[in-house]
Amino acid sequence: MQGVGPRGLGVTLAVLCVVSFLNLGLVVYYGGHNGQEVGCEKGVLKARTAEFVRPSDVERAPLPCLPIYTQGPGAQCMETDQPFWWSKRAKAHASKRYLCVNMTRCAVAPLKLFVYPGEPPLRNPERHEFHIMYNAFRNQTDRITYNPEEACWFFANVDTSCQQGDCHPGTENALRALPHWDTGLNHLYWDIFDGHEPAWNHANASRWKTATDIRTFAMGFDVSFPLHPPSKIDTTPTSKNGPTKGRSRSFEARAPDREVRLRTPRERAFFASFKGQRFRDISDHGRRGDLLPLHNESKGVIIATYCSRNGYKRPDTSPFGSCKEEGKRAARWDYDTLLHESVFGLIPEGAGRHSYRLIEVMRAGGIPVFITNYYVPPFSSLLDWSKFSVTVSKDSVTRVIDVLEALSEEEIARLHARVVYVWENYFAESVEDWVRTGLREAE
């Protein structure tokens, strides 16, 4: 844990209404020195949690986002220079994105939410993410209104979830048919699509997206939302290619006790870890394969990978001779044990910019270490992730352990304290809490 903090590696990120990351290079963010989250008791450095962390320690200053023109009665809009990749609106608006809100609906706090009645049919009976989100919005009892004329925000009963780009061709028509759609003004929709944007026109609707890319994200308008780990119980312990990733029980069933989350960095067995799929080189945009040389048990760094079981992403070769041998090696480390016992949880990108691992790491009290160039972490218009996480660009993935070892013990304790505070006050255990945080950000 000892180390010298290289201040030169820290980069201050000035976030404006519209942010563009074209090339991060080596980017490292970690918490500052203000506050009193760290204290000594009987000579042992301990990370204290909620009683010493304040909202100002983890939130960012309000964004200076102001509408620049009006369009129609009560509609206020802003213009961005962000291109609409894979979007039909790109043809209509060239490289500009125009985002509008009818502010006359949002004059009285708390802002009211109208959820269109009638649960939508599941697009995929084996996937329940959209129904989880729909019910989470419907359970916002302090904001719900059954009178659409009182609503600032609307949430559609149209299943907008997509898996691997499999968007239903009728999605756009279903949204347009909503009685209050009005080009998407004041509407929210949830997007689990791995790509940058869906293949259908969402007009002025605010995207609550999980695989958020800074190049197509409207800070202060869109909401980056956490990716909820699968709720479906996987009862398959092994596959023909070796053991599964270790999620043999559902996310809810694997919730650790709070004592696990409060466990200080000094009390954890591993310094940093990652266990997960490794894709074919050409599609391994998350650079997971590049983590393998970092495995060092003497330093408490555990990197355990196995070949993807997805046919078109399956690696052709394995550095361990075969995918079966690679899977056997990974089976030496239990997935949940690594989560609960690691100071840092490495989070390379998955099939999209997002990863289930972020929520799993934070819930266990681990400090998130993003390996990404363009990902926007959840609720970034509200939370300042530089204060409780570390980010390293994909081009610098081989240096990530050096970066972490350079942090002082005090800095690591501060990061951990803030992670615990953020989880318990902005995330917690229910998707309803996530939606509540998102609505706060949307205000």
Side-chain angles (χ1 to χ4, degrees):
M1 304 285 178
Q2 300 289 344
V4 178
R7 300 299 182 268
L9 290 174
V11 177
T12 301
L13 177 63
V15 181
L16 302 176
C17 179
V18 180
V19 183
S20 178
F21 289 171
L22 297 180
N23 188 351
L24 293 184
L26 173 61
V27 180
V28 180
Y29 306 131
Y30 53 84
H33 294 279
N34 60 319
Q36 302 180 33
E37 304 88 332
V38 179
C40 291
E41 182 178 329
K42 296 182 180 179
V44 178
L45 194 66
K46 289 194 173 183
R48 296 176 178 168
T49 54
E51 65 268 29
F52 281 95
V53 181
R54 301 170 298 277
S56 60
D57 293 326
V58 297
E59 293 184 6
R60 66 170 70 255
L63 295 173
C65 293
L66 298 175
I68 62 171
Y69 69 95
T70 60
Q71 176 180 333
Q76 295 183 322
C77 309
M78 67 179 183
E79 175 185 308
T80 80
D81 291 323
Q82 296 165 306
F84 271 113
W85 295 1
W86 306 351
S87 172
K88 295 179 181 178
R89 281 181 293 172
K91 298 179 181 178
H93 300 308
S95 62
K96 302 290 186 180
R97 183 178 181 189
Y98 299 86
L99 305 170
C100 303
V101 176
N102 185 347
M103 296 304 296
T104 60
R105 287 186 166 276
C106 308
V108 179
L111 305 184
K112 293 297 184 179
L113 170 70
F114 178 82
V115 178
Y116 285 90
E119 291 195 21
L122 279 174
R123 181 168 294 161
N124 182 346
E126 294 186 359
R127 303 301 297 254
H128 303 282
E129 289 94 340
F130 186 80
H131 269 201
I132 291 173
M133 282 295 296
Y134 180 81
N135 289 325
F137 272 92
R138 196 164 57 178
N139 291 337
Q140 301 299 312
T141 55
D142 58 332
R143 292 180 178 267
I144 284 290
T145 178
Y146 298 99
N147 179 1
E149 300 304 319
E150 297 177 350
C152 171
W153 297 112
F154 296 79
F155 187 76
N157 59 344
V158 176
D159 188 349
T160 53
S161 61
C162 300
Q163 288 295 325
Q164 304 297 338
D166 183 23
C167 296
H168 191 281
T171 299
E172 184 175 338
N173 291 335
L175 289 172
R176 287 183 174 182
L178 295 171
H180 308 286
W181 179 246
D182 189 19
T183 71
L185 284 174
N186 298 64
H187 279 66
L188 316 172
Y189 80 93
W190 182 67
D191 178 7
I192 196 175
F193 179 40
D194 286 333
H196 302 296
E197 292 205 22
W200 42 271
N201 189 344
H202 48 87
N204 286 302
S206 171
R207 290 179 301 170
W208 288 42
K209 185 172 177 60
T210 58
T212 311
D213 189 305
I214 193 64
R215 295 169 295 182
T216 56
F217 179 73
M219 187 73 77
F221 186 87
D222 295 332
V223 172
S224 180
F225 201 76
L227 179 64
H228 189 278
S231 296
K232 179 176 70 170
I233 295 179
D234 178 10
T235 58
T236 306
T238 60
S239 72
K240 64 180 181 180
N241 300 319
T244 62
K245 66 186 74 176
R247 294 191 184 96
S248 58
R249 292 175 291 140
S250 69
F251 176 70
E252 292 80 5
R254 293 166 42 236
D257 295 333
R258 187 169 186 263
E259 288 72 18
V260 171
R261 188 161 49 250
L262 296 179
R263 193 174 295 153
T264 67
R266 276 199 170 188
E267 296 171 328
R268 295 177 179 243
F270 304 110
F271 182 68
S273 69
F274 170 80
K275 182 178 181 179
Q277 295 185 81
R278 184 177 60 81
F279 305 128
R280 182 182 298 135
D281 292 343
I282 194 171
S283 65
D284 190 9
H285 58 263
R287 306 293 291 270
R288 296 182 173 196
D290 291 342
L291 290 172
L292 283 170
L294 304 180
H295 180 85
N296 188 327
E297 294 183 44
S298 65
K299 288 187 174 183
V301 178
I302 306 300
I303 308 297
T305 62
Y306 54 92
C307 298
S308 169
R309 290 179 290 158
N310 194 328
Y312 76 95
K313 291 181 179 179
R314 181 170 169 74
D316 297 321
T317 60
S318 170
F320 303 98
S322 68
C323 286
K324 183 176 181 180
E325 290 303 315
E326 186 172 345
K328 287 182 178 179
R329 175 185 175 274
R332 292 174 52 197
W333 293 279
D334 177 70
Y335 188 87
D336 287 346
T337 300
L338 288 177
L339 285 174
H340 300 169
E341 293 289 345
S342 295
V343 176
F344 294 99
L346 305 184
I347 308 174
E349 296 174 356
R353 302 290 176 202
H354 50 190
S355 171
Y356 296 124
R357 196 161 282 98
L358 171 59
I359 295 304
E360 295 174 323
V361 166
M362 292 184 67
R363 186 172 69 167
I367 300 168
V369 181
F370 297 107
I371 300 171
T372 182
N373 288 7
Y374 302 113
Y375 176 59
V376 182
F379 313 128
S380 283
S381 297
L382 175 64
L383 296 174
D384 187 346
W385 286 80
S386 68
K387 296 179 178 180
F388 54 91
S389 68
V390 178
T391 300
V392 176
S393 73
K394 291 191 289 187
D395 292 338
S396 301
V397 61
T398 57
R399 296 182 56 192
V400 63
I401 300 303
D402 294 335
V403 169
L404 300 180
E405 289 180 333
L407 298 176
S408 71
E409 195 167 8
E410 180 178 346
E411 288 166 337
I412 292 173
R414 181 178 294 109
L415 289 170
H416 170 256
R418 290 175 174 178
V419 166
V420 173
Y421 179 84
V422 168
W423 176 261
E424 296 185 348
N425 289 274
Y426 300 86
F427 288 82
E429 295 295 336
S430 72
V431 181
E432 282 82 0
D433 290 323
W434 303 0
V435 170
R436 190 171 296 109
T437 299
L439 290 171
R440 178 185 167 192
E441 179 178 357
E443 291 182 342

